[in-house]
Amino acid sequence: MKKSLVALAALAVAGVASAQSSVTLFGIVDAGVSYYQNKADGGAKTSSWQQTNSGYNSSRLGFRGTEDLGGGLAAGFWLEAALGNDTGAAGGGGTQLFNRRSTVSLSGPFGEFRIGRDYTATFWNDTTFDPFGTNGVGTNVINAAHSAVLTGAGFASDSTTVRSNNMVGYFLPANLGGFYGQAQYAFHENTKTDGSTFDSKANEYAGARFGYANGPLDVAVAYGETTVVSTAAQEVKVKTANLGASYDLGVVKLFGELSRVTNDFSPNSVVFGSDSVDLDGALIGVTAPIGAGLIRASYSTVKAKVDNAADPKANKFALGYVHNLSKRTALYATVARISNKDGANISVSGNLSTSATKNSTGYDFGIRHAF
Amino acid sequence: MKKSLVALAALAVAGVASAQSSVTLFGIVDAGVSYYQNKADGGAKTSSWQQTNSGYNSSRLGFRGTEDLGGGLAAGFWLEAALGNDTGAAGGGGTQLFNRRSTVSLSGPFGEFRIGRDYTATFWNDTTFDPFGTNGVGTNVINAAHSAVLTGAGFASDSTTVRSNNMVGYFLPANLGGFYGQAQYAFHENTKTDGSTFDSKANEYAGARFGYANGPLDVAVAYGETTVVSTAAQEVKVKTANLGASYDLGVVKLFGELSRVTNDFSPNSVVFGSDSVDLDGALIGVTAPIGAGLIRASYSTVKAKVDNAADPKANKFALGYVHNLSKRTALYATVARISNKDGANISVSGNLSTSATKNSTGYDFGIRHAF
Amino acid sequence: MKKSLVALAALAVAGVASAQSSVTLFGIVDAGVSYYQNKADGGAKTSSWQQTNSGYNSSRLGFRGTEDLGGGLAAGFWLEAALGNDTGAAGGGGTQLFNRRSTVSLSGPFGEFRIGRDYTATFWNDTTFDPFGTNGVGTNVINAAHSAVLTGAGFASDSTTVRSNNMVGYFLPANLGGFYGQAQYAFHENTKTDGSTFDSKANEYAGARFGYANGPLDVAVAYGETTVVSTAAQEVKVKTANLGASYDLGVVKLFGELSRVTNDFSPNSVVFGSDSVDLDGALIGVTAPIGAGLIRASYSTVKAKVDNAADPKANKFALGYVHNLSKRTALYATVARISNKDGANISVSGNLSTSATKNSTGYDFGIRHAF
């Protein structure tokens, strides 16, 4: 979406014209109608028609700008709110309006230093190498490894799966012959007491991503750690490693991702009876441009490798079509089906769930308008 | 207010100039001082001086834009937040920032399809044909038919009186010789369970409006249904039908509205002992331009036709003056008085109430600035 | 910051070009890393590293505009939200998005009338004559006189220390040979009941400020009263009087402030055994420009003069450096240390506290970017 923005003509600060400085208002309003259907193991079927948002791209409203400081240096800011435009909602709850991104940057030939709330390094592979960009019913199931829906009780919620507050990050400059990369650290901000036997590190995140994009190829590897539970009695860390790639053959573009999300328990998890559980995910996908349209398809799987029980697993097949009315406006339709096994309980929609879902099917029909 | 907007100069998307595309930041900040006085049946008098907002027009902040897609097609978005500028508040509570409107549209020679949170068809007659536009102490009492203030217990709150979430709407094109119209449906989004004896339809809305505006005449009829309570034990639907008209004689402009709001109970209401209660409203109004000023006056009534008790009823007389300093900025003063009978309990201000109000008098003095 | 804004090119209302009318989007994103360390009387030491906001200037996002009404008259609006950009937060809690300022104005040769949420007259001296502008760890301790942190229990929270809702204000015009001034009243908006023995006046504020700025000198005096508790059993008023001045010698700029915050209790405070407690504050400060940089230093004290116990007191020394990369972007570093005595318990950071803090030390390192 970064190119589909409206730049506002900006007058100079203090009366001095500066063509390099600008403030941009940008956004996406994506709305549609969806149908979800879940089928439980026993046979009960639940369904819902809904007027939904963000079926193709995440709805958002943002303000961003850059200032040329001379000597190759630039300062910039980025404030971006999620929109729940089916109800008029904005932001992520409470006062967290700019929940998608809220950063200030200083960049130059050395790269970019960025401070604030931002995407985590590890999430980029999940979304960049998914033909459905982790939006709508087509979203890959790999991300489910970060929540309890795959394996039920025993997993802690990971609030930094996609983004983290209180980050300082460094990004490589753009002129490295296709190599790109970033490293980020999020402060836990908890109080340390001298002489204390325990100090919480909850919400600390550290991660990095390194990739290479040149011609048809884009490939990247990422690793991140976050402390999701940190009490004197128990510490749980979520360690995410993933590798993604895409290759554009012209007629079709191929996508793939491998992901391992490890839950480290100290002491051992009482649910799983072990100090570590791996959740492995994989995706293959393809997109094919046809005139003003784009066909999208993906197959993704996720499996929790539990020692003391059957391994919960799920797979998903998604198929979609996007018809571009312009660069900013598109119509889209997506259908996806999830199959759960051995206790996995993933649904195409968080708004619709049964106590034990065997299959979940979803349809999105919508319009995406960017500005 | 739609004409009183500031359009921001928009650069082209992807480097291509497009005079037809724009993003507009717009808003209204309306602030004043109000005095409210209620008198109870027994004689106790309560009053309050307040610094208020939206006495003449609803304060708001919005972003909207359109994109010319060629061939007569256009895409557009509209995000509009209410402002409580006396305290700096925005939005409608929780994360619902763009509570006034949050839509994306696709329009063309066929008309306009619109998706998201929007005004209901039935509300337009209540506000368009009220000389006070349902703002400030002058607001007509017809709208009270949608709340419990008229009749006390027994009525369910109707959250879709003015707007509804999750709507899909269709609007007729503009070139029909003065005829205009719209039809809207809001999904209830509740889960349907196969084989269940009951599935909730709470928050479902369906409505339409059809009108004719040509020369001095504007007349419209509207009908809407919303399911306000939907449990296995009880279902309550609110059905609204209204007819409004205005006629501009030049020296004065005349306004009128007739409204019936029916509460359908299934099974019978235990409060009213019937399966249906009608609440009938009527308004006559007049505005008269005098130089840069506008005199406004209205008389409105509302009555609940209850079978097993006296019919609660209220009437209101409102008189006001608006002095335009420019097209964007105006000073205004309004006085209004409500008389309640037989248990009706409507006040000029929701912020000031006594347990049983006989008369309620209010004054607004303020400034409206649009941008 | 008022000069560091980006003005958006504004098209005319209703097709008529008007160079005097504009809408401006403006803001500040200030982010950094801070370290706080508190030491209790007994010896326990607590500390925290945090990614913080507003260490140099308060982060904000705003919309404002003016309209030339002709004849020297102008209308204007100002909507400004605080940003907690380390987490993406905006506004002050609940729906109060534009918590920094939310006003509409009518101005002319007579001065300016302003309505809405705004700064109180008395706060301006606290912030204007503080070299650290009441931001970051360098913030003067005088403001602590408005909260319970100085004296513990017995003081009511004063919600109008910095700003108040529901204000009407008058500001002198700019052409008075350097003299400036303002007077403000905030409605309590509580209900008055005829014949009642008690009506609450909680949240009422009245204040004024008068000053003189000419050449190197700026001096101002302010007084304000606010009713913070108003029940039938007890009324507490906070009365604030302060005098501030700055003098620019070129090589250095000197700052000074004297402040008295009086808590009036009716009947007598059970905690203090008196009808009144004074909290006296003072500040001396200096800034010195060095090329593109600015050295800042201040010493401030605050003391509660309690009749029945030792007088809690605190002092603070703050030292900082700001390096301007441009008029809009600056890097900064600040260090500050607070010493508490006789029960005072002020910390450099509200996020870090021990039950009894003797010394509190803080460091800010950050970047401020204005747009």
Side-chain angles (χ1 to χ4, degrees):
Chain A
M1 287 308 94
K2 291 181 179 178
K3 291 169 185 167
S4 308
L5 304 174
V6 175
L8 304 173
L11 297 185
V13 174
V16 184
S18 170
Q20 289 78 27
S21 296
S22 66
V23 174
T24 301
L25 166 68
F26 66 96
I28 291 174
V29 185
D30 180 325
V33 172
S34 300
Y35 177 73
Y36 307 122
Q37 188 186 84
N38 284 0
K39 196 161 180 313
D41 241 342
K45 202 169 74 178
T46 56
S47 61
S48 181
W49 283 94
Q50 303 192 6
Q51 194 270 296
T52 50
N53 69 76
S54 307
Y56 176 34
N57 290 144
S58 296
S59 293
R60 70 195 71 174
L61 178 68
F63 307 91
R64 64 183 193 189
T66 54
E67 180 196 13
D68 184 347
L69 297 169
L73 274 180
F77 75 98
W78 192 303
L79 300 168
E80 185 177 320
L83 293 181
N85 45 285
D86 44 343
T87 65
T95 59
Q96 196 175 42
L97 180 59
F98 296 111
N99 63 324
R100 287 181 56 86
R101 184 170 161 188
S102 168
T103 60
V104 58
S105 295
L106 189 65
S107 56
F110 51 80
E112 177 187 349
F113 290 100
R114 193 186 291 178
I115 311 179
R117 177 174 175 81
D118 198 5
Y119 288 89
T120 57
T122 29
F123 180 67
W124 282 120
N125 285 345
D126 283 350
T127 192
T128 305
F129 300 113
D130 177 353
F132 294 90
T134 54
N135 273 100
V137 295
T139 302
N140 71 65
V141 288
I142 295 174
N143 262 222
H146 287 275
S147 72
V149 293
L150 180 64
T151 57
F155 283 83
S157 168
D158 175 6
S159 66
T160 62
T161 304
V162 179
R163 300 172 183 88
S164 177
N165 292 338
N166 304 307
M167 287 221 286
V168 290
Y170 166 72
F171 294 73
L172 290 175
N175 58 353
L176 301 179
F179 288 102
Y180 60 87
Q182 68 185 90
Q184 291 166 305
Y185 173 74
F187 292 86
H188 59 71
E189 298 203 347
N190 301 300
T191 298
K192 180 178 180 296
T193 304
D194 270 22
S196 163
T197 56
F198 171 78
D199 288 314
S200 173
K201 292 187 176 178
N203 300 318
E204 193 177 39
Y205 174 87
R209 182 175 184 244
F210 191 67
Y212 176 76
N214 208 341
L217 177 67
D218 189 359
V219 57
V221 61
Y223 178 78
E225 284 190 17
T226 185
T227 305
V228 293
V229 176
S230 184
T231 67
Q234 171 116 61
E235 191 165 76
V236 182
K237 282 193 178 182
V238 172
K239 301 177 176 178
T240 303
N242 52 34
L243 167 70
S246 64
Y247 196 90
D248 195 343
L249 295 164
V251 180
V252 296
K253 185 176 179 182
L254 305 176
F255 297 79
E257 190 196 352
L258 292 172
S259 164
R260 170 163 290 182
V261 176
T262 302
N263 278 241
D264 268 4
F265 302 94
S266 168
N268 280 10
S269 161
V270 292
V271 175
F272 305 110
S274 62
D275 67 350
S276 177
V277 173
D278 288 341
L279 299 98
D280 288 352
L283 171 143
I284 53 171
V286 62
T287 60
I290 300 185
L294 185 74
I295 293 173
R296 308 189 293 170
S298 75
Y299 177 80
S300 59
T301 69
V302 64
K303 180 167 76 168
K305 298 195 286 190
V306 182
D307 284 351
N308 59 357
D311 292 353
K313 58 184 78 71
N315 63 62
K316 183 177 199 171
F317 182 72
L319 180 66
Y321 176 69
V322 177
H323 186 79
N324 292 298
L325 299 174
S326 74
K327 286 190 176 179
R328 291 167 51 191
T329 304
L331 303 175
Y332 62 87
T334 310
V335 56
R337 182 176 177 84
I338 295 172
S339 297
N340 288 294
K341 284 184 188 168
D342 296 323
N345 195 18
I346 307 176
S347 169
V348 290
S349 162
N351 295 324
L352 177 73
S353 64
T354 52
S355 51
T357 299
K358 190 176 179 187
N359 298 313
S360 178
T361 311
Y363 304 83
D364 286 335
F365 309 94
I367 179 170
R368 187 281 322 267
H369 177 63
F371 55 95
Chain B
M1 284 308 93
K2 290 182 181 178
K3 291 168 186 166
S4 308
L5 305 175
V6 174
L8 304 174
L11 297 186
V13 174
V16 184
S18 169
Q20 287 78 27
S21 296
S22 67
V23 174
T24 300
L25 166 68
F26 66 96
I28 292 174
V29 184
D30 180 325
V33 173
S34 300
Y35 177 73
Y36 307 122
Q37 188 186 85
N38 284 359
K39 199 163 178 311
D41 242 343
K45 203 169 72 178
T46 56
S47 61
S48 182
W49 283 93
Q50 302 193 5
Q51 194 270 296
T52 51
N53 70 76
S54 307
Y56 176 32
N57 290 144
S58 296
S59 293
R60 68 195 71 173
L61 178 68
F63 307 90
R64 63 182 194 190
T66 55
E67 180 197 13
D68 184 347
L69 296 169
L73 273 180
F77 75 98
W78 192 302
L79 300 168
E80 185 177 320
L83 293 181
N85 43 287
D86 44 343
T87 65
T95 59
Q96 196 175 42
L97 180 59
F98 296 111
N99 63 323
R100 288 181 56 87
R101 183 169 161 188
S102 167
T103 61
V104 58
S105 295
L106 189 65
S107 56
F110 51 81
E112 176 188 348
F113 290 101
R114 193 187 289 178
I115 311 179
R117 178 173 175 82
D118 199 4
Y119 288 88
T120 57
T122 29
F123 180 67
W124 282 119
N125 285 346
D126 283 351
T127 193
T128 305
F129 300 114
D130 178 353
F132 294 90
T134 54
N135 272 101
V137 296
T139 302
N140 71 65
V141 287
I142 295 174
N143 262 222
H146 287 275
S147 72
V149 293
L150 181 63
T151 56
F155 283 82
S157 168
D158 175 6
S159 66
T160 63
T161 304
V162 180
R163 300 172 184 89
S164 177
N165 292 338
N166 304 307
M167 288 221 286
V168 290
Y170 167 71
F171 294 73
L172 290 175
N175 58 353
L176 301 180
F179 288 102
Y180 60 87
Q182 67 185 90
Q184 291 166 305
Y185 174 74
F187 292 87
H188 58 69
E189 299 204 347
N190 301 301
T191 297
K192 180 177 180 297
T193 304
D194 271 24
S196 163
T197 55
F198 171 77
D199 289 314
S200 172
K201 292 186 176 179
N203 300 317
E204 193 177 38
Y205 174 87
R209 183 174 183 244
F210 191 67
Y212 177 76
N214 209 343
L217 176 67
D218 188 0
V219 58
V221 62
Y223 179 78
E225 284 190 18
T226 184
T227 305
V228 293
V229 176
S230 184
T231 68
Q234 171 114 60
E235 191 166 75
V236 182
K237 282 192 180 185
V238 172
K239 301 177 177 179
T240 304
N242 52 34
L243 167 70
S246 65
Y247 196 89
D248 195 343
L249 295 164
V251 180
V252 296
K253 185 177 179 181
L254 306 175
F255 297 80
E257 189 196 352
L258 291 173
S259 163
R260 171 164 289 183
V261 176
T262 302
N263 280 241
D264 267 5
F265 302 94
S266 168
N268 280 10
S269 161
V270 292
V271 174
F272 304 111
S274 62
D275 67 351
S276 178
V277 173
D278 289 341
L279 299 98
D280 288 352
L283 171 144
I284 52 171
V286 61
T287 59
I290 300 185
L294 184 75
I295 293 174
R296 308 189 293 170
S298 76
Y299 177 81
S300 59
T301 69
V302 63
K303 179 168 76 168
K305 298 196 285 189
V306 182
D307 283 353
N308 59 357
D311 293 351
K313 59 184 79 69
N315 63 61
K316 183 177 199 171
F317 182 71
L319 180 65
Y321 176 68
V322 177
H323 186 78
N324 292 299
L325 299 174
S326 75
K327 287 190 174 178
R328 291 167 52 191
T329 303
L331 302 174
Y332 61 88
T334 310
V335 55
R337 183 176 175 84
I338 295 172
S339 297
N340 288 294
K341 283 184 189 169
D342 296 323
N345 194 18
I346 308 176
S347 168
V348 290
S349 162
N351 294 325
L352 178 72
S353 64
T354 52
S355 53
T357 300
K358 190 176 180 188
N359 298 312
S360 179
T361 311
Y363 303 83
D364 286 334
F365 309 94
I367 178 170
R368 187 281 321 268
H369 177 62
F371 56 95
Chain C
M1 285 308 92
K2 292 182 181 178
K3 291 169 184 167
S4 308
L5 304 175
V6 175
L8 303 175
L11 297 186
V13 174
V16 184
S18 169
Q20 287 77 26
S21 295
S22 67
V23 174
T24 300
L25 166 68
F26 65 96
I28 291 173
V29 184
D30 180 324
V33 172
S34 300
Y35 176 73
Y36 308 122
Q37 188 187 84
N38 283 359
K39 197 161 179 312
D41 242 342
K45 202 169 75 179
T46 57
S47 62
S48 182
W49 283 93
Q50 302 192 5
Q51 195 270 295
T52 50
N53 70 75
S54 307
Y56 176 33
N57 290 144
S58 296
S59 292
R60 70 195 70 175
L61 178 68
F63 307 91
R64 64 182 195 189
T66 56
E67 181 196 13
D68 184 347
L69 297 168
L73 273 181
F77 75 98
W78 192 301
L79 300 168
E80 185 177 320
L83 293 181
N85 44 286
D86 44 343
T87 65
T95 59
Q96 195 175 43
L97 180 59
F98 296 111
N99 64 324
R100 288 180 56 86
R101 184 169 161 187
S102 167
T103 61
V104 58
S105 294
L106 189 65
S107 56
F110 51 81
E112 176 188 347
F113 290 101
R114 192 186 291 179
I115 312 180
R117 176 173 176 82
D118 198 5
Y119 288 88
T120 56
T122 29
F123 180 67
W124 282 119
N125 285 346
D126 282 350
T127 192
T128 305
F129 300 114
D130 178 353
F132 294 90
T134 54
N135 272 101
V137 296
T139 303
N140 72 65
V141 288
I142 295 174
N143 262 222
H146 287 275
S147 72
V149 293
L150 181 63
T151 56
F155 282 81
S157 168
D158 174 6
S159 66
T160 62
T161 304
V162 180
R163 301 173 183 88
S164 177
N165 292 338
N166 304 306
M167 288 222 285
V168 289
Y170 167 72
F171 294 73
L172 290 176
N175 58 353
L176 301 179
F179 288 102
Y180 59 87
Q182 67 184 90
Q184 291 167 304
Y185 175 74
F187 291 87
H188 60 69
E189 299 204 346
N190 301 300
T191 298
K192 181 178 179 297
T193 304
D194 270 23
S196 163
T197 55
F198 171 78
D199 288 315
S200 172
K201 292 188 176 178
N203 300 318
E204 193 177 38
Y205 174 87
R209 183 174 183 244
F210 190 67
Y212 177 76
N214 208 343
L217 177 67
D218 188 359
V219 58
V221 61
Y223 179 78
E225 284 190 19
T226 183
T227 306
V228 293
V229 176
S230 185
T231 68
Q234 172 116 60
E235 192 165 76
V236 182
K237 283 193 179 183
V238 172
K239 301 177 177 179
T240 303
N242 52 34
L243 166 70
S246 64
Y247 197 90
D248 195 343
L249 295 164
V251 179
V252 297
K253 186 177 179 181
L254 305 176
F255 297 79
E257 189 196 354
L258 292 173
S259 163
R260 171 163 289 183
V261 176
T262 302
N263 279 241
D264 268 4
F265 303 94
S266 169
N268 280 10
S269 161
V270 292
V271 175
F272 305 111
S274 62
D275 67 350
S276 177
V277 174
D278 289 341
L279 298 99
D280 288 352
L283 172 144
I284 54 170
V286 62
T287 60
I290 300 185
L294 185 74
I295 293 174
R296 308 189 293 170
S298 75
Y299 176 80
S300 59
T301 69
V302 64
K303 180 168 74 168
K305 298 194 286 188
V306 182
D307 283 352
N308 59 357
D311 294 351
K313 58 184 79 70
N315 62 63
K316 183 178 198 171
F317 181 72
L319 180 66
Y321 176 69
V322 177
H323 186 79
N324 292 297
L325 299 174
S326 73
K327 286 189 177 181
R328 292 167 52 192
T329 303
L331 303 174
Y332 62 87
T334 311
V335 55
R337 182 177 177 85
I338 295 173
S339 297
N340 288 293
K341 283 183 189 170
D342 296 322
N345 194 19
I346 308 176
S347 168
V348 289
S349 163
N351 295 324
L352 178 72
S353 64
T354 51
S355 52
T357 300
K358 190 176 179 188
N359 297 312
S360 180
T361 311
Y363 303 83
D364 286 334
F365 308 93
I367 179 170
R368 187 281 323 267
H369 177 64
F371 55 96

